[in-house]
């Protein structure tokens, strides 16, 4: 603390000052400087709590640097945690030091207790302490490690997500003039565009045959996991589960989000209008749609009326070596038909599909679309029904007609590729059901289930294809707000943030209570037992009594027995039991003196400068030349009883 020539007790110094002796004053800064460190810890703990509550995240250059130099970040975190933990430990130790220094003005303590106070005030482990003092010190040392650990957990950054707003372009259906059925003739297909992002066309059923077949074949995914199927372009995105016909802008018209934020975008979510397609397939044994022929060599006709046929029945021609490999799908051709049904007529090779009929119901919905840019996944969930955004139903009526075009285009002399795709879906459904249900399905049940899944998947994918064509070919688009998820740095975990805030509050409360209890440590003297200069000077002022008492306790040649259990030290020689106290002289200077001398019956061979023979004082007795002196034993026990002190000394 400084001022070692005046390590005085305030009350004595006041009296000394009245007698004309000038003594130094304890300045405000010296007394309170350690506590001002709590300004930094309180500010940071409050900021971390607010950041967690308000979900603040560090983005931009901070995020980039933290990810580029993780080792440096770890080093800085450890240094800061150690620094702020040191502030807390310093404040707590200063409180302990001040409390014990005030206590020392009134209490008498043994030298072991004084060592314990010093170890608690630093803190440090002293392996030479008796166990009854060692464990309290060990507890303080362990607790001194906690603040830095809590700070490390509170400021360690880890990757999290934050949100901002963005804008992307979604398809508009105000102009649907390009969405119509185009003739299946070379040069008569609908408008198309091929770019690095993929091939986009309004002739969906003709130009996207391969993708549609793949969707039909894999519609009944194995197991209980949600199927993952690729999007109809080169963006590398895949749908998790059904696409519901939306999500086309992902990877195509979302560059304002995915490329404008320095590649820190984790994903985004937005809402898009589309049609929720529900498919119901049945066996219609009385269906009028049948295969007849051949009328000319290898030419067969699939004709008949459907439930939604208007004006006349349906008819289309198929080729085949014979009629066994034909899978024909009939869809109403009239523009006035709602076009909700498709009927299947099949030859012997695909007899399980013959006389099946599917109804497609398109409900306008608003969908929640979530895009995971890191994993290139798209998840779609229906949200709420909305008014029909395409009342003329150009989109849905044209879509259903694509099934008739597909079935005709995918039938050759020997096989129906569409029939094989349906068969794959049916087989996958059978295997998935057999894995989780011991009850086998009938052929009719599995056929209808697999066919329903295939038609649903194809309808969803065609809706996406038309939406992509509106965006890329027709340029029919509109802006849509998106919630963008950004990668950001979150500092600390919530449990550690709350813990360090509470710990800091407890330290503040402890400082406030001690300041009130001690009136701002007004009675604190300049003597500090942690400073060896103060100890040496104060001990010298106490005179030779301390040394004489120590010699009397330690003995010289008598039989020694350990007085206490010691951990990692030499046997107890007894000096630690010496009881001392503080005493001010006439000028207020501090001296360390023995609280009470040994009782005279224990002193042999004279007093003062004469040689003092020491007798080992133990609970079992007083040993003197191998014999027990009853009088000295009684006096020793009484002396030990009066001089026994606890961790906080005795008055």
């Amino acid at each position: 603390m400084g001022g070692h020539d005046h390590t005085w007790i305030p009350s004595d110094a006041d009296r000394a000052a009245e007698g004309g002796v000038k003594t130094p004053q304890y300045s405000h800064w010296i007394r309170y400087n350690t506590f001002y460190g709590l300004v930094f810890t309180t500010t940071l703990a409050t900021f971390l709590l607010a950041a967690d509550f308000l979900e603040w995240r560090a983005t931009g250059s901070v995020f980039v640097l933290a990810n580029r130099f993780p080792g440096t970040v770890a080093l800085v975190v450890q240094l800061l945690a150690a620094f702020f933990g040191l502030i807390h430990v310093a404040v707590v130790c200063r409180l302990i030091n001040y409390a014990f220094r005030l206590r020392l003005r009134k209490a008498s303590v043994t030298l072991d207790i004084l060592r314990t106070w010093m170890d608690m005030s630093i803190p440090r482990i002293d392996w030479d302490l008796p166990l009854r003092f060692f464990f309290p010190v060990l507890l303080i040392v362990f607790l001194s490690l906690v603040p830095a650990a809590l700070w490390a957990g509170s400021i360690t950054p880890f990757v999290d997500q934050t949100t901002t707003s963005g804008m992307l372009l979604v398809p508009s259906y105000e102009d649907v003039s390009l969405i119509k059925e185009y003739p299946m003739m070379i040069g008569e297909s609908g408008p198309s565009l091929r770019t690095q992002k993929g091939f986009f066309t309004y002739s969906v059923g003709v130009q996207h045959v391969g993708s549609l077949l793949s969707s039909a074949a894999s519609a009944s995914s194995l197991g209980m996991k949600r199927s993952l199927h690729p999007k109809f372009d080169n963006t590398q995105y895949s749908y998790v589960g059904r696409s519901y016909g939306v999500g086309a802008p992902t990877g195509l018209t979302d560059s304002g989000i995915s490329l404008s934020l320095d590649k820190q975008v984790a994903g985004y979510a937005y809402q898009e209008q589309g049609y929720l397609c529900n498919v119901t397939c049945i066996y219609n044994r009385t269906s009028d749609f049948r295969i007849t022929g051949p009328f000319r060599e290898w030419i067969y006709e699939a004709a008949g009326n459907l439930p939604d046929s208007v004006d006349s029945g349906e008819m289309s021609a198929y080729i085949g070596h014979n009629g066994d490999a034909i899978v024909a799908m009939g869809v109403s051709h009239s523009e006035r038909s709602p076009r909700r049904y498709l009927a299947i007529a099949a030859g012997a090779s695909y007899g399980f599909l013959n006389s099946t009929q599917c109804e497609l119901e398109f409900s306008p919905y608003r969908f929640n679309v979530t895009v995971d840019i890191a994993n290139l996944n798209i998840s779609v969930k229906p949200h709420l029904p909305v008014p029909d955004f395409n009342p003329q139903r150009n989109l849905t009526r044209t879509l259903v007609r694509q099934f008739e075009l597909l079935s005709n285009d995918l039938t050759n002399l020997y096989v129906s590729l569409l029939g094989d795709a349906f068969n794959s879906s049916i087989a996958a459904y059978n295997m998935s059901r057999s894995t989780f249900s011991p009850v086998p399905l009938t052929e009719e049940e599995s056929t209808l289930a697999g066919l329903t899944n295939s038609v649903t998947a194809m309808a969803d994918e065609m809706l996406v294809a038309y939406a992509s064509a509106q965006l890329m070919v027709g340029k029919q688009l509109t802006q849509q707000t998106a919630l963008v998820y950004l990668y950001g740095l979150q500092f600390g975990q919530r449990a550690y943030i709350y813990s360090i805030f509470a710990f800091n509050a407890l330290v503040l409360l402890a400082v406030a209570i001690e300041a009130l209890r001690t009136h701002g440590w007004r009675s604190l003297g300049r003597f500090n037992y942690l400073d060896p200069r103060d100890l040496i000077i104060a001990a010298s002022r106490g005179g030779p009594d301390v040394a004489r008492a120590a010699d009397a306790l330690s003995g010289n040649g008598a039989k020694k027995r350990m007085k206490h259990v010691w951990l990692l030290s030499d046997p107890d020689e007894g000096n630690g039991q010496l009881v001392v106290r503080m005493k001010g002289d006439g000028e207020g200077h501090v001296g360390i003196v023995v609280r009470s001398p040994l009782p005279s019956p224990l002193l042999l061979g004279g007093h003062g400068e004469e040689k003092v023979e020491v007798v080992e004082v133990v609970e079992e007795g007083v040993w003197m030349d191998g014999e027990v002196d009853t009088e000295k034993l009684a006096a020793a026990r009484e002396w030990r009883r009066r001089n026994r002190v606890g961790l906080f000394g005795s008055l």
Side-chain angles (χ1 to χ4, degrees), residues 283-534:
Y283 274 103
N284 184 3
R285 303 299 182 182
T286 62
S287 175
D288 188 45
F289 187 73
R290 298 177 182 178
I291 298 175
T292 58
F295 294 95
R296 290 190 298 272
E297 187 178 7
W298 297 343
I299 302 298
Y300 292 82
E301 186 177 276
N305 286 291
L306 274 65
D308 58 350
S309 293
V310 178
D311 299 330
S312 63
E314 316 306 324
M315 190 279 291
S316 57
Y318 290 80
I319 62 171
H321 186 71
N322 54 46
D324 294 346
I326 295 176
V327 174
M329 302 184 76
V331 178
S332 175
H333 67 279
S334 174
E335 291 290 337
R336 296 190 296 118
S337 171
R339 294 181 180 170
R340 295 174 54 188
Y341 292 89
L342 59 87
I344 299 178
S349 298
Y350 303 96
F352 54 90
L353 293 173
N354 191 43
S355 300
T356 54
Q357 181 178 290
C358 297
E359 179 184 5
L360 290 78
E361 181 181 0
F362 295 93
S363 303
Y365 253 77
R366 178 178 291 112
F367 296 90
N368 291 327
V369 183
T370 303
V371 179
D372 183 351
I373 293 180
N375 296 310
L376 298 177
N377 289 338
I378 308 171
S379 301
V380 182
K381 291 184 179 180
H383 182 51
L384 291 173
V386 295
D388 199 338
F389 52 87
N390 179 217
Q392 303 83 6
R393 288 296 175 111
N394 295 59
L395 177 58
T396 58
R397 288 190 292 112
T398 303
L399 183 150
V400 179
R401 280 293 295 172
Q402 304 306 302
F403 285 96
E404 193 275 338
L405 302 178
L406 279 167
S407 65
N408 199 292
D409 195 36
L410 294 172
T411 300
N412 58 41
L413 291 175
Y414 303 101
V415 70
S416 169
L417 297 179
L418 184 60
D420 288 344
F422 289 157
N423 193 25
S424 296
S425 178
I426 295 168
Y429 185 81
N430 269 324
M431 285 189 290
S432 64
R433 279 298 302 266
S434 64
T435 303
F436 300 100
S437 176
V439 180
L441 294 174
T442 64
E443 181 181 330
E444 181 175 317
E445 290 173 332
S446 59
T447 297
L448 292 178
L451 179 61
T452 299
N453 291 339
S454 292
V455 173
T456 302
M458 295 173 72
D460 284 350
E461 303 297 10
M462 283 191 279
L463 285 170
V464 174
Y466 279 115
S468 299
Q470 284 286 92
L471 290 172
M472 304 300 291
V473 183
K475 303 298 181 182
Q476 300 298 315
L477 35 81
T478 184
Q479 289 187 336
Q480 177 65 35
T481 302
L483 179 65
V484 182
Y485 299 97
L486 298 177
Y487 287 118
L489 293 180
Q490 177 180 347
F491 289 92
Q493 297 183 11
R494 176 166 298 179
Y496 294 109
I497 292 174
Y498 279 71
S499 297
I500 198 63
F501 183 84
F503 181 80
N504 187 80
L506 288 176
V507 173
L508 285 173
L509 181 63
V511 172
I513 292 175
E514 278 294 285
L516 290 174
R517 184 181 70 86
T518 61
H519 302 287
W521 296 279
R522 185 176 58 187
S523 300
L524 186 68
R526 297 291 291 270
F527 174 77
N528 185 359
Y529 56 78
L530 293 178
D531 194 323
R533 295 172 296 181
D534 288 353

Side-chain angles (χ1 to χ4, degrees), residues 84-321:
F84 289 111
L86 180 63
I87 292 177
H88 274 144
V89 172
V91 170
V92 173
C93 290
R94 181 58 61 94
L95 289 177
I96 294 174
N97 176 257
Y98 282 4
F100 285 155
R101 284 164 63 180
L102 291 175
R103 178 67 178 169
L104 191 58
R105 291 183 54 238
K106 303 176 181 178
S108 298
V109 297
T110 65
L111 297 185
D112 281 340
I113 293 175
L114 190 59
R115 284 198 302 158
T116 302
W117 288 4
M118 296 175 68
D119 294 337
M120 287 183 172
S121 301
I122 294 178
R124 67 181 180 189
I125 294 180
D126 190 343
W127 302 101
D128 291 337
L129 283 175
L131 289 184
R132 63 191 181 107
F133 297 142
F134 174 79
F135 287 112
V137 171
L138 182 64
L139 177 63
I140 294 297
V141 172
F142 175 77
L143 293 179
S144 68
L145 304 176
V146 173
L150 292 179
W151 277 115
S154 300
I155 63 177
T156 299
F158 61 92
V159 178
D160 194 26
Q161 290 184 0
T162 185
T163 59
T164 186
S165 60
M167 195 74 65
L168 75 158
L169 300 174
V170 298
S172 171
Y173 295 95
E174 292 185 2
D175 183 357
V176 293
S177 59
L178 295 177
I179 301 178
K180 60 184 179 180
E181 183 179 351
Y182 292 91
M184 291 181 58
M185 297 172 61
I186 298 176
E188 296 293 336
S189 60
S192 302
L193 176 66
R194 188 180 297 276
T195 69
Q196 290 182 345
K197 294 183 177 181
F199 178 66
F200 310 96
T201 179
Y202 281 98
S203 295
V204 172
V206 178
Q207 302 291 345
H208 284 305
V209 172
S211 298
L212 290 173
L213 275 180
S214 176
S215 296
S218 60
S220 301
S221 58
L222 293 175
M224 299 299 291
K225 294 183 179 180
R226 299 175 65 188
S227 61
L228 194 68
H229 52 100
K231 193 168 175 277
F232 272 20
D233 47 38
N234 296 335
T235 60
Q236 308 302 314
Y237 279 92
S238 297
Y239 286 99
V240 181
R242 288 186 61 180
S243 67
Y244 294 100
V246 296
T250 304
L252 299 179
T253 57
D254 61 351
S255 58
I257 294 175
S258 60
L259 300 180
S260 63
L261 296 172
D262 200 18
K263 298 182 180 180
Q264 296 177 33
V265 180
Y268 60 92
Y270 72 100
Q271 291 186 328
E272 183 179 350
Q273 291 185 350
Y275 285 109
L276 175 60
C277 179
N278 290 318
V279 178
T280 304
C281 295
I282 62 172
Y283 274 103
N284 184 3
R285 303 299 182 182
T286 62
S287 175
D288 188 45
F289 187 73
R290 298 177 182 178
I291 298 175
T292 58
F295 294 95
R296 290 190 298 272
E297 187 178 7
W298 297 343
I299 302 298
Y300 292 82
E301 186 177 276
N305 286 291
L306 274 65
D308 58 350
S309 293
V310 178
D311 299 330
S312 63
E314 316 306 324
M315 190 279 291
S316 57
Y318 290 80
I319 62 171
H321 186 71

